[in-house]
Amino acid sequence: MSYGNIKNVTTSGASSSTAEADGLNYSGRSASHTMAEEDFERMKEYMRKIKGAADDSGIDPFVIAAIISRESRAGDGLDDDGWGDDKNAFGLMQVDKICHNPHPNSEAWDSLRHLCYASGILVGCIGDIRRKFPKWNKEQQLKGGLAAYNMGASRVHSYDQVDANTTGRDYSNDVVARAQWYEKKHSESWCGIF
């Protein structure tokens, strides 16, 4: 199933609050690109697992990488046991323990199985947005699904304000910009894998 082409999704990138939390004094797509680049060396460790999760879910591997960058800074923002967000979320893609079982079958926080599980949650979020907004095109539904991954489909009310209720009020825009950077700048690095 196609979830849209990440290259065709419009994005404004990271908000000033997200950028400032990372020590940047600028925002927008360039801030998202800087953060994605900072995570790239660590991301290389997970490329094969990302590919496996992408194959399993049908989600673009660069989108999975971008979520990993945003959520856990490619593992750098997690405790040694894989927890983040004050022990409220688990794994590279930070599955929330309030809404989901964050570690099904006691899988490791950086395992392929956990990435498949988290990617499956994203697929469900995109499906929720497709049902809620059937007239949106696939790229809009992908972006809405990314916002829903962060805070639930019930809190997505319009495309123009897709991030109104997300963390930093920029979650989907930031993830899209990071994914576009990975796809454009480093697709050759992932060649043999993706």
Side-chain angles (χ1 to χ4, degrees):
M1 175 173 277
S2 170
Y3 296 105
N5 186 335
I6 195 64
K7 292 187 273 190
N8 297 331
V9 181
T10 59
T11 181
S12 56
S15 67
S16 57
S17 64
T18 295
E20 286 171 8
D22 206 61
L24 303 176
N25 61 2
Y26 54 94
S27 59
R29 288 187 300 256
S30 58
S32 295
H33 297 171
T34 297
M35 291 181 280
E37 183 174 17
E38 288 172 358
D39 296 334
F40 183 67
E41 287 302 313
R42 287 185 305 278
M43 196 71 68
K44 287 180 181 178
E45 178 180 344
Y46 307 112
M47 284 181 179
R48 292 197 186 282
K49 293 175 185 176
I50 291 168
K51 167 75 163 94
D55 288 347
D56 180 70
S57 65
I59 296 293
D60 184 319
F62 299 113
V63 171
I64 295 171
I67 292 171
I68 291 170
S69 175
R70 168 72 186 227
E71 290 285 353
S72 70
R73 302 310 304 265
D76 197 48
L78 303 178
D79 295 343
D80 290 339
D81 57 0
W83 287 94
D85 191 25
D86 295 322
K87 299 262 186 213
N88 289 308
F90 184 76
L92 290 169
M93 293 175 69
Q94 288 292 275
V95 174
D96 190 336
K97 73 178 183 181
I98 295 170
C99 301
H100 304 280
N101 175 9
H103 43 95
N105 303 320
S106 301
E107 289 295 324
W109 62 271
D110 61 350
S111 68
L112 169 60
R113 185 172 174 132
H114 187 75
L115 286 178
C116 288
Y117 178 68
S119 297
I121 292 169
L122 176 58
V123 167
C125 291
I126 295 168
D128 291 343
I129 293 297
R130 283 182 170 175
R131 287 183 290 281
K132 187 171 181 176
F133 301 104
K135 294 184 179 179
W136 286 10
N137 66 40
K138 287 183 178 183
E139 284 75 21
Q140 291 171 320
Q141 291 169 343
L142 172 58
K143 189 173 179 181
L146 288 167
Y149 182 83
N150 178 250
M151 50 75 179
S154 66
R155 299 191 67 200
V156 176
H157 303 296
S158 73
Y159 189 73
D160 292 342
Q161 296 293 315
V162 71
D163 279 326
N165 296 304
T166 64
T167 304
R169 298 177 57 91
D170 70 343
Y171 187 88
S172 70
N173 278 290
D174 182 31
V175 168
V176 167
R178 292 182 199 219
Q180 289 172 344
W181 186 86
Y182 284 130
E183 192 281 329
K184 183 175 182 182
K185 296 292 186 181
H186 287 287
S187 57
E188 70 279 355
S189 301
W190 305 44
C191 263
I193 299 173
F194 291 2

